[in-house]
Short mmCIF file of all heavy atoms in Angstrom, two decimals:
data_model
loop_
_atom_site.label_atom_id
_atom_site.label_comp_id
_atom_site.label_asym_id
_atom_site.label_seq_id
_atom_site.Cartn_x
_atom_site.Cartn_y
_atom_site.Cartn_z
N GLU A 227 10.55 10.14 2.52
CA GLU A 227 11.52 10.89 1.73
C GLU A 227 10.88 12.11 1.08
O GLU A 227 11.60 13.00 0.66
CB GLU A 227 12.15 9.99 0.67
CG GLU A 227 11.16 9.43 -0.32
CD GLU A 227 11.82 8.90 -1.57
OE1 GLU A 227 12.87 9.44 -1.96
OE2 GLU A 227 11.28 7.97 -2.15
N ALA A 228 9.57 12.09 0.94
CA ALA A 228 8.89 13.24 0.32
C ALA A 228 7.66 13.55 1.15
O ALA A 228 6.68 12.79 1.13
CB ALA A 228 8.50 12.91 -1.12
N TRP A 229 7.69 14.67 1.86
CA TRP A 229 6.57 14.95 2.79
C TRP A 229 5.25 15.21 2.08
O TRP A 229 4.19 14.84 2.60
CB TRP A 229 6.92 16.08 3.76
CG TRP A 229 6.97 17.47 3.20
CD1 TRP A 229 8.10 18.16 2.84
CD2 TRP A 229 5.87 18.34 2.93
NE1 TRP A 229 7.76 19.40 2.37
CE2 TRP A 229 6.41 19.55 2.41
CE3 TRP A 229 4.50 18.25 3.07
CZ2 TRP A 229 5.62 20.62 2.03
CZ3 TRP A 229 3.70 19.32 2.70
CH2 TRP A 229 4.26 20.50 2.18
N PRO A 230 5.25 15.83 0.86
CA PRO A 230 3.95 16.07 0.24
C PRO A 230 3.17 14.78 -0.04
O PRO A 230 1.99 14.69 0.28
CB PRO A 230 4.30 16.78 -1.07
CG PRO A 230 5.62 17.43 -0.81
CD PRO A 230 6.33 16.45 0.06
N THR A 231 3.84 13.78 -0.63
CA THR A 231 3.11 12.56 -0.95
C THR A 231 2.75 11.78 0.31
O THR A 231 1.68 11.17 0.39
CB THR A 231 3.90 11.67 -1.92
OG1 THR A 231 5.24 11.62 -1.53
CG2 THR A 231 3.80 12.17 -3.33
N GLN A 232 3.62 11.80 1.32
CA GLN A 232 3.29 11.10 2.55
C GLN A 232 2.12 11.77 3.25
O GLN A 232 1.25 11.11 3.81
CB GLN A 232 4.51 11.06 3.49
CG GLN A 232 4.28 10.22 4.73
CD GLN A 232 4.03 8.77 4.42
OE1 GLN A 232 4.71 8.16 3.60
NE2 GLN A 232 3.01 8.18 5.03
N LEU A 233 2.12 13.11 3.18
CA LEU A 233 1.04 13.85 3.84
C LEU A 233 -0.31 13.52 3.21
O LEU A 233 -1.31 13.30 3.91
CB LEU A 233 1.32 15.35 3.73
CG LEU A 233 0.51 16.24 4.68
CD1 LEU A 233 0.98 16.03 6.10
CD2 LEU A 233 0.66 17.70 4.29
N VAL A 234 -0.36 13.47 1.88
CA VAL A 234 -1.66 13.18 1.25
C VAL A 234 -2.06 11.74 1.53
O VAL A 234 -3.25 11.44 1.68
CB VAL A 234 -1.67 13.47 -0.27
CG1 VAL A 234 -1.31 14.90 -0.55
CG2 VAL A 234 -0.82 12.55 -1.07
N MET A 235 -1.09 10.85 1.64
CA MET A 235 -1.42 9.48 1.98
C MET A 235 -1.98 9.40 3.40
O MET A 235 -2.97 8.72 3.66
CB MET A 235 -0.18 8.60 1.86
CG MET A 235 -0.41 7.14 2.21
SD MET A 235 -1.70 6.34 1.25
CE MET A 235 -0.87 6.19 -0.31
N ASP A 236 -1.36 10.11 4.33
CA ASP A 236 -1.86 10.11 5.71
C ASP A 236 -3.24 10.73 5.78
O ASP A 236 -4.10 10.27 6.54
CB ASP A 236 -0.89 10.87 6.62
CG ASP A 236 0.41 10.10 6.86
OD1 ASP A 236 0.43 8.87 6.59
OD2 ASP A 236 1.40 10.72 7.29
N ALA A 237 -3.46 11.79 5.00
CA ALA A 237 -4.79 12.41 4.99
C ALA A 237 -5.83 11.43 4.47
O ALA A 237 -6.94 11.35 4.98
CB ALA A 237 -4.78 13.67 4.14
N HIS A 238 -5.45 10.66 3.48
CA HIS A 238 -6.39 9.66 2.95
C HIS A 238 -6.67 8.57 3.99
O HIS A 238 -7.81 8.16 4.18
CB HIS A 238 -5.85 9.03 1.68
CG HIS A 238 -6.72 7.90 1.20
ND1 HIS A 238 -7.94 8.10 0.59
CD2 HIS A 238 -6.57 6.56 1.31
CE1 HIS A 238 -8.49 6.93 0.32
NE2 HIS A 238 -7.69 5.98 0.75
N ARG A 239 -5.61 8.12 4.66
CA ARG A 239 -5.81 7.08 5.68
C ARG A 239 -6.75 7.58 6.77
O ARG A 239 -7.47 6.81 7.37
CB ARG A 239 -4.48 6.74 6.33
CG ARG A 239 -3.56 5.90 5.48
CD ARG A 239 -2.24 5.78 6.19
NE ARG A 239 -1.34 4.88 5.52
CZ ARG A 239 -0.08 4.69 5.90
NH1 ARG A 239 0.39 5.33 6.94
NH2 ARG A 239 0.69 3.86 5.25
N ALA A 240 -6.68 8.89 7.04
CA ALA A 240 -7.53 9.46 8.08
C ALA A 240 -8.95 9.71 7.56
O ALA A 240 -9.80 10.16 8.30
CB ALA A 240 -6.94 10.79 8.57
N HIS A 241 -9.19 9.41 6.27
CA HIS A 241 -10.48 9.67 5.63
C HIS A 241 -10.86 11.15 5.74
O HIS A 241 -12.02 11.50 5.94
CB HIS A 241 -11.59 8.80 6.23
CG HIS A 241 -11.28 7.34 6.16
ND1 HIS A 241 -11.26 6.65 4.98
CD2 HIS A 241 -10.94 6.45 7.11
CE1 HIS A 241 -10.92 5.39 5.21
NE2 HIS A 241 -10.74 5.24 6.50
N ALA A 242 -9.83 12.00 5.62
CA ALA A 242 -10.08 13.43 5.73
C ALA A 242 -10.80 13.93 4.48
O ALA A 242 -10.53 13.49 3.37
CB ALA A 242 -8.76 14.16 5.91
N HIS A 243 -11.72 14.87 4.70
CA HIS A 243 -12.38 15.53 3.58
C HIS A 243 -11.62 16.79 3.18
O HIS A 243 -11.80 17.31 2.09
CB HIS A 243 -13.81 15.93 3.97
CG HIS A 243 -14.68 14.76 4.26
ND1 HIS A 243 -15.53 14.70 5.33
CD2 HIS A 243 -14.83 13.57 3.62
CE1 HIS A 243 -16.17 13.55 5.34
NE2 HIS A 243 -15.77 12.84 4.31
N LEU A 244 -10.80 17.28 4.11
CA LEU A 244 -10.07 18.52 3.85
C LEU A 244 -8.70 18.43 4.48
O LEU A 244 -8.55 18.00 5.62
CB LEU A 244 -10.83 19.72 4.44
CG LEU A 244 -10.11 21.07 4.34
CD1 LEU A 244 -10.11 21.56 2.90
CD2 LEU A 244 -10.79 22.10 5.24
N LEU A 245 -7.69 18.87 3.72
CA LEU A 245 -6.33 18.95 4.24
C LEU A 245 -5.97 20.42 4.27
O LEU A 245 -6.01 21.11 3.24
CB LEU A 245 -5.37 18.18 3.33
CG LEU A 245 -3.87 18.31 3.61
CD1 LEU A 245 -3.54 17.79 5.00
CD2 LEU A 245 -3.06 17.52 2.57
N LEU A 246 -5.61 20.91 5.46
CA LEU A 246 -5.31 22.32 5.64
C LEU A 246 -3.81 22.49 5.88
O LEU A 246 -3.24 21.83 6.75
CB LEU A 246 -6.10 22.88 6.83
CG LEU A 246 -5.84 24.34 7.21
CD1 LEU A 246 -6.28 25.28 6.10
CD2 LEU A 246 -6.58 24.69 8.51
N LEU A 247 -3.21 23.36 5.08
CA LEU A 247 -1.77 23.63 5.23
C LEU A 247 -1.57 25.11 5.49
O LEU A 247 -2.42 25.93 5.12
CB LEU A 247 -1.02 23.28 3.94
CG LEU A 247 -1.16 21.86 3.41
CD1 LEU A 247 -0.42 21.74 2.09
CD2 LEU A 247 -0.60 20.87 4.40
N GLY A 248 -0.43 25.43 6.07
CA GLY A 248 -0.06 26.82 6.23
C GLY A 248 0.88 27.24 5.10
O GLY A 248 1.77 26.49 4.72
N ALA A 249 0.64 28.42 4.56
CA ALA A 249 1.47 28.88 3.46
C ALA A 249 2.79 29.42 3.97
O ALA A 249 2.88 29.94 5.08
CB ALA A 249 0.75 29.97 2.68
N SER A 250 3.80 29.26 3.16
CA SER A 250 5.09 29.86 3.45
C SER A 250 5.72 30.15 2.10
O SER A 250 5.30 29.61 1.08
CB SER A 250 5.98 28.93 4.26
OG SER A 250 6.32 27.80 3.47
N ASP A 251 6.74 30.99 2.10
CA ASP A 251 7.39 31.29 0.84
C ASP A 251 8.03 30.04 0.25
O ASP A 251 8.10 29.87 -0.97
CB ASP A 251 8.46 32.38 1.04
CG ASP A 251 7.82 33.72 1.35
OD1 ASP A 251 6.66 33.93 0.93
OD2 ASP A 251 8.46 34.54 2.02
N HIS A 252 8.45 29.14 1.11
CA HIS A 252 9.06 27.90 0.62
C HIS A 252 8.02 27.03 -0.09
O HIS A 252 8.33 26.34 -1.07
CB HIS A 252 9.67 27.13 1.81
CG HIS A 252 10.00 25.71 1.50
ND1 HIS A 252 11.03 25.35 0.66
CD2 HIS A 252 9.43 24.56 1.89
CE1 HIS A 252 11.09 24.03 0.57
NE2 HIS A 252 10.14 23.52 1.31
N LEU A 253 6.79 27.08 0.41
CA LEU A 253 5.75 26.21 -0.14
C LEU A 253 5.29 26.66 -1.51
O LEU A 253 4.96 25.86 -2.38
CB LEU A 253 4.56 26.18 0.83
CG LEU A 253 3.44 25.20 0.53
CD1 LEU A 253 3.92 23.78 0.79
CD2 LEU A 253 2.22 25.50 1.40
N LEU A 254 5.25 28.00 -1.70
CA LEU A 254 4.66 28.52 -2.93
C LEU A 254 5.62 28.37 -4.10
O LEU A 254 6.81 28.62 -3.97
CB LEU A 254 4.29 30.00 -2.74
CG LEU A 254 3.28 30.27 -1.63
CD1 LEU A 254 3.05 31.76 -1.47
CD2 LEU A 254 1.95 29.57 -1.93
N PRO A 255 5.10 27.96 -5.25
CA PRO A 255 6.00 27.76 -6.40
C PRO A 255 6.43 29.09 -6.99
O PRO A 255 5.66 30.03 -7.09
CB PRO A 255 5.13 26.98 -7.39
CG PRO A 255 3.73 27.33 -7.02
CD PRO A 255 3.71 27.63 -5.56
N ARG A 256 7.69 29.12 -7.41
CA ARG A 256 8.22 30.32 -8.07
C ARG A 256 8.16 30.16 -9.57
O ARG A 256 8.08 31.10 -10.33
CB ARG A 256 9.69 30.54 -7.65
CG ARG A 256 9.82 30.96 -6.22
CD ARG A 256 9.62 32.47 -6.06
NE ARG A 256 9.37 32.80 -4.66
CZ ARG A 256 8.15 32.92 -4.15
NH1 ARG A 256 7.10 32.74 -4.89
NH2 ARG A 256 7.99 33.21 -2.87
N ARG A 257 8.28 28.91 -10.00
CA ARG A 257 8.17 28.59 -11.42
C ARG A 257 7.56 27.21 -11.50
O ARG A 257 7.51 26.49 -10.49
CB ARG A 257 9.54 28.62 -12.09
CG ARG A 257 10.54 27.73 -11.38
CD ARG A 257 11.92 27.84 -12.01
NE ARG A 257 12.90 27.17 -11.17
CZ ARG A 257 13.09 25.86 -11.11
NH1 ARG A 257 12.37 25.05 -11.85
NH2 ARG A 257 14.00 25.33 -10.33
N PHE A 258 7.11 26.87 -12.71
CA PHE A 258 6.42 25.61 -12.84
C PHE A 258 7.38 24.45 -12.58
O PHE A 258 8.38 24.31 -13.25
CB PHE A 258 5.80 25.46 -14.22
CG PHE A 258 5.12 24.14 -14.40
CD1 PHE A 258 4.16 23.70 -13.49
CD2 PHE A 258 5.44 23.29 -15.45
CE1 PHE A 258 3.54 22.47 -13.63
CE2 PHE A 258 4.82 22.06 -15.60
CZ PHE A 258 3.86 21.65 -14.69
N SER A 259 7.06 23.64 -11.61
CA SER A 259 7.88 22.49 -11.31
C SER A 259 7.01 21.46 -10.62
O SER A 259 6.33 21.77 -9.65
CB SER A 259 9.03 22.88 -10.38
OG SER A 259 9.63 21.71 -9.85
N LEU A 260 7.04 20.25 -11.17
CA LEU A 260 6.24 19.19 -10.58
C LEU A 260 6.76 18.82 -9.19
O LEU A 260 6.06 18.19 -8.42
CB LEU A 260 6.25 17.95 -11.48
CG LEU A 260 5.43 18.09 -12.77
CD1 LEU A 260 5.63 16.87 -13.65
CD2 LEU A 260 3.95 18.28 -12.47
N SER A 261 8.01 19.20 -8.91
CA SER A 261 8.57 18.82 -7.62
C SER A 261 8.23 19.84 -6.54
O SER A 261 8.53 19.62 -5.38
CB SER A 261 10.08 18.68 -7.73
OG SER A 261 10.65 19.93 -8.06
N ASN A 262 7.62 20.96 -6.90
CA ASN A 262 7.23 21.92 -5.88
C ASN A 262 6.25 21.24 -4.92
O ASN A 262 5.32 20.57 -5.35
CB ASN A 262 6.57 23.14 -6.54
CG ASN A 262 5.91 24.04 -5.51
OD1 ASN A 262 4.71 23.95 -5.28
ND2 ASN A 262 6.70 24.88 -4.88
N PRO A 263 6.48 21.39 -3.60
CA PRO A 263 5.64 20.64 -2.64
C PRO A 263 4.16 20.96 -2.74
O PRO A 263 3.32 20.05 -2.63
CB PRO A 263 6.23 21.03 -1.28
CG PRO A 263 7.13 22.18 -1.50
CD PRO A 263 7.55 22.15 -2.91
N LEU A 264 3.81 22.22 -2.95
CA LEU A 264 2.39 22.55 -3.02
C LEU A 264 1.76 21.91 -4.24
O LEU A 264 0.65 21.35 -4.18
CB LEU A 264 2.20 24.07 -3.04
CG LEU A 264 0.74 24.54 -3.19
CD1 LEU A 264 -0.12 24.00 -2.06
CD2 LEU A 264 0.67 26.06 -3.22
N GLU A 265 2.46 21.97 -5.36
CA GLU A 265 1.94 21.32 -6.58
C GLU A 265 1.75 19.83 -6.35
O GLU A 265 0.76 19.24 -6.78
CB GLU A 265 2.89 21.55 -7.76
CG GLU A 265 2.95 22.97 -8.27
CD GLU A 265 1.69 23.38 -9.01
OE1 GLU A 265 0.86 22.52 -9.34
OE2 GLU A 265 1.53 24.59 -9.25
N ALA A 266 2.71 19.22 -5.65
CA ALA A 266 2.63 17.78 -5.40
C ALA A 266 1.41 17.46 -4.53
O ALA A 266 0.69 16.49 -4.79
CB ALA A 266 3.91 17.28 -4.73
N VAL A 267 1.18 18.28 -3.52
CA VAL A 267 0.01 18.04 -2.65
C VAL A 267 -1.28 18.21 -3.43
O VAL A 267 -2.17 17.37 -3.38
CB VAL A 267 0.04 19.00 -1.43
CG1 VAL A 267 -1.28 18.93 -0.68
CG2 VAL A 267 1.19 18.66 -0.51
N LEU A 268 -1.37 19.30 -4.17
CA LEU A 268 -2.60 19.55 -4.93
C LEU A 268 -2.85 18.46 -5.97
O LEU A 268 -3.98 18.05 -6.20
CB LEU A 268 -2.52 20.92 -5.62
CG LEU A 268 -2.51 22.14 -4.70
CD1 LEU A 268 -2.30 23.41 -5.49
CD2 LEU A 268 -3.81 22.23 -3.91
N ARG A 269 -1.80 17.99 -6.57
CA ARG A 269 -1.94 17.01 -7.65
C ARG A 269 -2.38 15.66 -7.10
O ARG A 269 -3.16 14.94 -7.71
CB ARG A 269 -0.61 16.87 -8.38
CG ARG A 269 -0.66 16.06 -9.67
CD ARG A 269 0.67 16.14 -10.42
NE ARG A 269 1.80 15.66 -9.66
CZ ARG A 269 2.81 16.41 -9.21
NH1 ARG A 269 2.83 17.71 -9.45
NH2 ARG A 269 3.81 15.89 -8.52
N ASN A 270 -1.84 15.25 -5.97
CA ASN A 270 -2.05 13.90 -5.47
C ASN A 270 -3.16 13.76 -4.44
O ASN A 270 -3.62 12.65 -4.19
CB ASN A 270 -0.75 13.37 -4.85
CG ASN A 270 0.32 13.14 -5.88
OD1 ASN A 270 0.02 12.70 -6.98
ND2 ASN A 270 1.55 13.47 -5.54
N ALA A 271 -3.58 14.87 -3.84
CA ALA A 271 -4.51 14.75 -2.72
C ALA A 271 -5.84 14.15 -3.17
O ALA A 271 -6.36 14.51 -4.23
CB ALA A 271 -4.74 16.10 -2.08
#
Side-chain angles (χ1 to χ4, degrees):
Chain A
E227 61 163 330
W229 72 260
T231 43
Q232 186 62 45
L233 196 70
V234 303
M235 179 57 73
D236 288 343
H238 174 75
R239 285 174 174 175
H241 303 291
H243 295 136
L244 175 72
L245 173 61
L246 176 65
L247 303 177
S250 66
D251 290 334
H252 165 70
L253 187 70
L254 300 177
R256 290 276 164 266
R257 54 184 169 78
F258 178 53
S259 167
L260 288 174
S261 63
N262 169 264
L264 177 58
E265 291 288 348
V267 170
L268 293 175
R269 190 172 59 247
N270 292 322

